[in-house]
Amino acid sequence: MTTELSAVDPDTTRRLLHQMLRIRRFEERCVELYSTWRIRGFLHLYIGEEAVATGVIDHLRSDDSVVATYREHGHGLARGLSMRSILAEMYGRQEGCSRGRGGSMHLFDAATNFYGGNAIVAAGLPVAVGLALAAKRTGSDALTACFFGEGAVAEGEFHESLNLATLWDLPVLFCCENNLYAMGTPLASSESDPDIALKASGYGMAAWPVDGMDVLAVHHAAARAIATVRAGEGPVLLELRTYRFRAHSMYDPERYRDSEEVQRWRERDPIDALVAHLRERDELDDDALGAMEAEVSAEIDDAVTYAEAGTLEPVEDLERFVYTEGSSAAIQPQVSR
Amino acid sequence: MSTLTYREALREGMRAALAADERVFLMGEDVGLYGGCFAVSLGLLEEFGPERILDTPLSESAFVGAGIGAALAGQRPIVEIMTVNFSLLALDQILNNAATMSHMSGGQFHVPLVIRMTTGAGRQLAAQHSHSLEAWYAHIPGLRVVTPATVADAAGMLLTALEDPDPVLIFEHGGLFSLSGSCPMAPCPLTWTRQPSCDRVTTSPSLAMAQGCTRAWRWQHRWPTPWTWRSSTSAPCVRWTRRRCSRSVGRTGRLVVVEEGWRSGGIGAELAARAAEHAFWDLDAPVERVATAEVPIPYAKHLEDAALPSVQDVTEAVRRVMQ
Ligand SMILES: Cc1ncc(C[n+]2csc(CCOP(=O)(O)OP(=O)(O)O)c2C)c(N)n1
């Protein structure tokens, strides 16, 4: 941890640790639940990357919006979706945050402006631009944090979105989670110039790389970026350099990287690093860490119980929600001033 | 004739083409180093090298367009799109360029491009990973759409597609990759009529068809004269000719169309319309369609199952036409 950042107050630091632990332990339990067939479909784990969502989302206000990808359990938890509703979703229960219709890749929550859970690479970026456009049009200083992998940088939607957001000065915080691989494709095989922050600068926005394994560095960078975006100075892109410790999804022969590389990155585990930092400063002892782990574990047990007891939506309801039920989106007459 | 899986048959088909013709090359996301997201191209990079097996960035529009360009210039590209869901990012290239080039240029230019992609639901992958858009593509003149449903067709249709001077889209159902069967490794016609003994499910693309074929034998003994017109191609729209149509419908006077895909505007709708046009007087019962419920595919297993055509749906439809 760099000295500049060690000034963060211990409460914040412990909060960040707690959040990262929730995400890590939750996903570790998900792996077990997957192997016993409680969870199905694709399951993309965020293990190793927790510092990114944790450090950024910690700063967001309730009126801000979040757009994420299929690797979004961490973002959902950090944003305040209940662990119960996320796990119930993965169980396909109607108590799930998307009523069991979305699964792991499609967590949604209107209450926290959590707009998914998008499983098409780069498809979230234009939507984030639109959410920001709406905020700007209504005079709000709310922003949209948009998370995506570095694989998305090769898609046209990345470039079109960055251009539009800068052209129109829209309040988007683009968070590129650069974990070096898009499935089995290393960044160097995918980008003619692998400097993602530089690419974003080309569109005229502030952009810089951040150590995504250091939650305090992420927290610090996000604070700066968010201040710029909220001040109406247009979008910012953070290139958060991180690493996925596990397979792309549940199964992946990992022919594209060697185990030593994974091991080297594991030595930079963001949770271990933060624990070490806190211990060094006598801000966390074994008891406190044990208590935190116990609390997290109890929360997970509770979520499992909840999901297990969840109910299945009746098959007769299959065709619900294809179109909006009930409300009307009629044009509202102008109120004269 | 060797026994292969559907996955191996596709790989062997590609390998044969790569070995036979220098102009053939494969490109797509993770087709090389990773071996293909469904392991179809596993080993081809090692065998043919990076000049022939090209890993692309996540840029569907660019690499499909590049496939079109290379085909225009005389190459024989095979482009793999991981799944049909992502082909939507390349739809502009497929429709506005690949499908139109020959006609729009007054017959001067041709796009001998093969695009392979995985299709279908059934694995709890939810609404953005479970599309069956064969009918959509089949709507477009200038494209050929094929949905191999057997191991032999997987290799054979690929080889035939590579001989075609025009763009061919091959839809490989995700539920079929492990299917095993005999594989003659020979080009086969893109329109494919099989022995009339297998089942009475009249026509059903791909997985629906494969399932129909293996499960429908149960009804075989209950009703006389089953006739199967098994289709593995959208070409029924083009090639279900008056004669074929009336011959197959005339056999039983009944038509049940089974497809995985939304009902409205589906392949089944087209076939039913053809039957009404060409075989109206041969029909003894209204045409029945068994199709996917008109919802984005839900994640929860019981809902996904309910959305997809089931053996029970087919049984009931057959019962109704036989009444
Ligand atoms: C448009 C599109 N193409 C391909 C895929 C298949 N796919 C899913 S995730 C993925 C890799 C994405 O990598 P990256 O954006 O770096 O994110 P990461 O998975 O590393 O978090 C691919 C190729 C997809 N979902 N969408």
Side-chain angles (χ1 to χ4, degrees):
Chain A
M1 305 268 154
T2 50
T3 41
E4 179 202 358
L5 306 175
S6 51
V8 181
D9 71 275
D11 284 347
T12 300
T13 319
R14 278 193 294 263
R15 186 174 70 242
L16 297 174
L17 176 62
H18 178 243
Q19 192 63 268
M20 290 199 291
L21 273 177
R22 286 178 78 222
I23 299 170
R24 174 72 56 91
R25 302 288 176 249
F26 173 74
E27 288 198 326
E28 286 168 349
R29 187 72 66 90
C30 287
V31 173
E32 290 169 23
L33 295 168
Y34 197 90
S35 59
T36 54
W37 286 66
R38 312 307 289 164
I39 300 173
R40 288 286 93 194
F42 285 153
L43 184 68
H44 303 89
L45 301 174
Y46 199 50
I47 292 179
E49 306 186 37
E50 296 91 342
V52 175
T54 302
V56 173
I57 295 176
D58 190 65
H59 291 291
L60 298 185
R61 294 191 324 222
S62 62
D63 59 343
D64 292 333
S65 299
V66 176
V67 175
T69 70
Y70 45 85
R71 198 182 297 288
E72 88 287 31
H73 312 142
H75 309 75
L77 286 170
R79 184 55 180 162
L81 275 73
S82 74
M83 196 179 278
R84 285 180 163 196
S85 75
I86 294 177
L87 194 62
E89 184 58 33
M90 295 189 201
Y91 269 64
R93 310 294 192 195
Q94 60 182 338
E95 292 78 7
C97 58
S98 311
R99 298 181 72 99
R101 288 169 186 256
S104 158
M105 298 198 287
H106 303 295
L107 307 177
F108 286 91
D109 184 41
T112 57
N113 298 331
F114 193 81
Y115 289 92
N118 199 314
I120 303 297
V121 169
L125 281 91
V127 175
V129 170
L131 290 163
L133 176 62
K136 184 170 178 175
R137 287 177 52 81
T138 52
S140 145
D141 69 345
L143 61 80
T144 300
C146 178
F147 295 85
F148 53 94
E150 87 293 340
V153 175
E155 295 283 9
E157 284 178 324
F158 168 85
H159 297 273
E160 296 178 21
S161 300
L162 261 61
N163 179 52
L164 200 53
T166 322
L167 186 69
W168 291 349
D169 277 335
L170 299 179
V172 189
L173 175 61
F174 292 104
C175 300
C176 178
E177 308 184 303
N178 179 3
N179 63 14
L180 297 175
Y181 294 91
M183 241 170 107
T185 304
L187 181 59
S189 311
S190 147
E191 289 300 317
S192 54
D193 179 348
D195 190 333
I196 292 163
L198 186 67
K199 270 184 224 288
S201 312
Y203 288 101
M205 73 179 74
W208 66 95
V210 181
D211 180 357
M213 303 306 271
D214 177 347
V215 72
L216 298 182
V218 174
H219 199 253
H220 180 76
R224 250 180 76 197
I226 285 171
T228 307
V229 175
R230 267 210 222 292
E233 291 167 35
V236 172
L237 180 139
L238 297 179
E239 179 193 338
L240 301 136
R241 296 188 174 163
T242 179
Y243 200 78
R244 137 171 90 64
F245 290 173
R246 312 284 293 237
H248 168 73
S249 178
M250 282 306 286
Y251 306 113
D252 166 358
E254 299 199 47
R255 273 184 285 271
Y256 50 86
R257 61 184 189 183
D258 58 40
S259 52
E260 279 135 57
E261 179 185 296
V262 180
Q263 196 44 46
R264 273 201 308 283
W265 278 92
R266 277 184 182 276
E267 281 157 22
R268 300 215 42 226
D269 188 314
I271 294 179
D272 295 349
L274 190 61
V275 168
H277 168 85
L278 281 163
R279 281 188 198 283
E280 226 168 72
R281 302 163 59 87
D282 285 332
E283 286 169 5
L284 185 81
D285 57 20
D286 286 349
D287 286 351
L289 182 59
M292 209 183 267
E293 289 274 16
E295 190 197 325
V296 167
S297 176
E299 187 186 4
I300 297 170
D301 289 342
D302 168 73
V304 173
T305 309
Y306 181 80
E308 290 280 345
T311 53
L312 296 179
E313 193 161 11
V315 166
E316 299 71 60
D317 287 355
L318 173 66
E319 293 184 13
R320 283 188 67 188
F321 312 121
V322 178
Y323 298 99
T324 304
E325 294 176 1
S327 67
S328 153
I331 299 290
Q332 291 167 1
Q334 287 265 318
V335 186
S336 53
R337 288 168 219 238
Chain B
M1 201 190 302
S2 50
T3 297
L4 298 176
T5 62
Y6 188 91
R7 170 185 288 112
E8 289 162 347
L10 290 164
R11 184 186 308 143
E12 291 310 313
M14 288 197 286
R15 173 180 281 143
L18 284 157
D21 189 338
E22 267 298 312
R23 297 172 307 166
V24 175
F25 66 97
L26 171 70
M27 67 176 153
E29 290 158 7
D30 285 323
V31 296
L33 192 59
Y34 195 87
C37 61
F38 295 98
V40 170
S41 53
L42 192 63
L44 294 183
L45 174 67
E46 292 71 14
E47 188 174 343
F48 294 99
E51 304 287 311
R52 310 282 303 281
I53 309 296
L54 280 71
D55 274 323
T56 64
L58 273 84
S59 311
E60 287 82 3
S61 186
F63 67 76
V64 169
I68 295 170
L72 280 171
Q75 298 287 298
R76 288 289 182 276
I78 303 174
V79 171
E80 176 179 306
I81 303 179
M82 283 184 167
T83 73
V84 58
N85 317 283
F86 320 139
S87 76
L88 301 182
L89 280 79
L91 196 52
D92 172 53
Q93 289 296 329
I94 297 172
L95 172 49
N96 281 324
N97 281 345
T100 58
M101 203 62 85
S102 172
H103 179 86
M104 203 163 59
S105 68
Q108 297 178 80
F109 291 117
H110 308 283
V111 184
L113 170 68
V114 173
I115 304 178
R116 300 177 31 246
M117 55 185 120
T118 306
T119 186
R123 291 166 295 148
Q124 286 196 260
L125 300 183
Q128 293 181 335
H129 276 66
S130 302
H131 294 119
S132 293
L133 297 177
E134 294 87 320
W136 251 35
Y137 283 105
H139 179 68
I140 302 169
L143 302 178
R144 290 189 211 292
V145 176
V146 302
T147 58
T150 66
V151 172
D153 287 359
M157 288 185 165
L158 175 69
L159 295 173
T160 308
L162 281 163
E163 290 171 4
D164 201 297
D166 296 312
V168 180
L169 273 50
I170 303 182
F171 288 83
E172 301 156 4
H173 199 290
L176 291 178
F177 285 118
S178 303
L179 181 81
S180 67
S182 57
C183 188
M185 199 53 66
C188 65
L190 297 186
T191 304
W192 204 226
T193 308
R194 284 284 172 80
Q195 73 283 11
S197 59
C198 174
D199 67 82
R200 69 190 55 247
V201 179
T202 307
T203 140
S204 55
S206 201
L207 184 69
M209 167 173 150
Q211 286 181 339
C213 189
T214 52
R215 292 175 183 167
W217 60 269
R218 289 185 215 144
W219 310 309
Q220 201 156 301
H221 307 295
R222 314 244 328 248
W223 293 293
T225 3
W227 169 258
T228 316
W229 193 86
R230 289 171 53 184
S231 155
S232 285
T233 164
S234 77
C237 307
V238 183
R239 293 191 190 151
W240 213 36
T241 56
R242 178 179 295 276
R243 200 171 59 86
R244 275 210 184 103
C245 179
S246 108
R247 206 162 45 123
S248 48
V249 173
R251 192 65 190 256
T252 59
R254 286 154 179 98
L255 175 62
V256 176
V257 192
V258 184
E259 68 181 311
E260 185 181 329
W262 292 308
R263 172 184 300 257
S264 301
I267 303 249
E270 178 62 30
L271 292 178
R274 299 251 164 165
E277 286 166 355
H278 304 319
F280 184 76
W281 304 110
D282 294 319
L283 282 167
D284 293 328
V287 173
E288 284 278 345
R289 282 187 284 158
V290 180
T292 303
E294 298 199 291
V295 289
I297 305 297
Y299 163 75
K301 175 145 179 35
H302 70 296
L303 293 180
E304 182 179 42
D305 286 347
L308 297 174
S310 67
V311 171
Q312 194 192 340
D313 296 337
V314 179
T315 314
E316 283 164 12
V318 171
R319 230 175 235 133
R320 282 193 298 272
V321 298
M322 296 306 289
Q323 261 165 19

